[in-house]
Amino acid sequence: MEELRETRIAENMSEEEEDARAEVDIWTYVFGFAEMAVVKCAIELGIAEVIEGHGTPMTLSELSTQLGCEPTPLHRIMRFLVHRRVFKEKFTSNGPSGYALTLLSSRLMKHGKRSMAAMVSLESSPVMLASWNSLSACVQANGPYPFKAAHGEDVWSYATGHPTHSKLISDGMACSATKA
């Protein structure tokens, strides 16, 4: 269905418009990893939990103090996450704009009912990302699956010898199994 929509859009575009769109798409691919990295950062910092614990929207200053981090880089992270609708900006009780949870950010809490934080942590781990870097070599050589090409064994054998990764897998699978 999406391909059909894309074809219709492309048929109605001029060559210049199509070229401009292609450039935007390429830049999206180039920096596609950044979205996952920023979401992982939000999970590791516990931003959603801190805002939830506060009970009302938090200013950048309040959030920075609670997290123990500098406001400038945090502001960049929050601006990105607001743009992606992970958090939203709302006025606080004393006037200035602050950050509030959305349904999306509630899924980033490590222990929330519908949390996907463990799955993000698993899929963004260096072990799992290494598999993606082996994809083209596997396709060219009609070789083993990318995980095996990157690590010399399948994911389950690897997990047996690496308890930390095994826990990431277990936690990731548990969070996707408990969605309701």
Side-chain angles (χ1 to χ4, degrees), residues 51 57-60 75 78-83 85-92 96-102:
I51 293 172
M58 294 182 77
T59 65
L60 179 64
H75 180 255
M78 294 306 294
R79 190 172 61 204
F80 184 95
L81 293 169
V82 166
H83 179 73
R85 294 188 288 294
V86 175
F87 294 98
K88 61 185 171 187
E89 287 186 284
K90 289 182 85 174
F91 288 107
T92 62
S97 182
Y99 301 103
L101 297 178
T102 65

Side-chain angles (χ1 to χ4, degrees), residues 13-32:
M13 279 190 209
S14 71
E15 190 171 327
E16 291 164 353
E17 290 170 323
E18 196 170 344
D19 185 56
R21 178 163 179 171
E23 186 170 345
V24 168
D25 287 348
I26 289 296
W27 282 111
T28 300
Y29 301 144
V30 168
F31 290 106

Side-chain angles (χ1 to χ4, degrees), residues 96-108:
S97 182
Y99 301 103
L101 297 178
T102 65
L103 290 175
L104 184 54
S105 57
S106 67
R107 292 174 186 255
L108 301 182

